[in-house]
Amino acid sequence: QVQLVESGGGLVQAGDSLRLSCAASGGIFSIYAMGWFRQAPGKEREFVAAISRNGYNTAYASFVEGRFTISRDNAKNTVYLQLNSLKPEDTAEYYCARGTVSYPSITTTDYKYWGQGTQVTVSS
């Protein structure tokens, strides 16, 4: 049984940084892409970033604008999302997901397992 547990969210001010972590257990972590998605109240879940199984390739949503960085440590079965220069519009529940593919897909349907989410709140 694959389990994903996110951590690192919190309440910060605009311009601050956060580092989200997602620890995976069960299955074989290193052969699948990992992704981060977010969902704000009243909005649909949207893609944020993804990373290939070996970490060599990444993909980002256009709104990231160079502020976020996704990375992974296959030895620790963990994927990270560094959030810099946070804006109030980044406020959302952030979810990590394990893909069914090895490349950094931006499509929700390419992800099978999801974590419970970690809340990021950015005040102005």
Side-chain angles (χ1 to χ4, degrees), residues 101-120:
V101 297
S102 61
Y103 57 87
S105 173
I106 67 171
T107 306
T108 305
T109 53
D110 281 335
Y111 293 85
K112 181 176 181 180
Y113 298 100
W114 295 80
Q116 82 290 347
T118 186
Q119 177 68 35
V120 172

Side-chain angles (χ1 to χ4, degrees), residues 53-75:
R53 64 179 181 89
N54 55 16
Y56 292 166
N57 297 295
T58 57
Y60 295 93
S62 58
F63 61 76
V64 169
E65 300 174 326
R67 301 179 297 125
F68 301 171
T69 302
I70 188 170
S71 61
R72 66 190 294 163
D73 185 338
N74 285 347

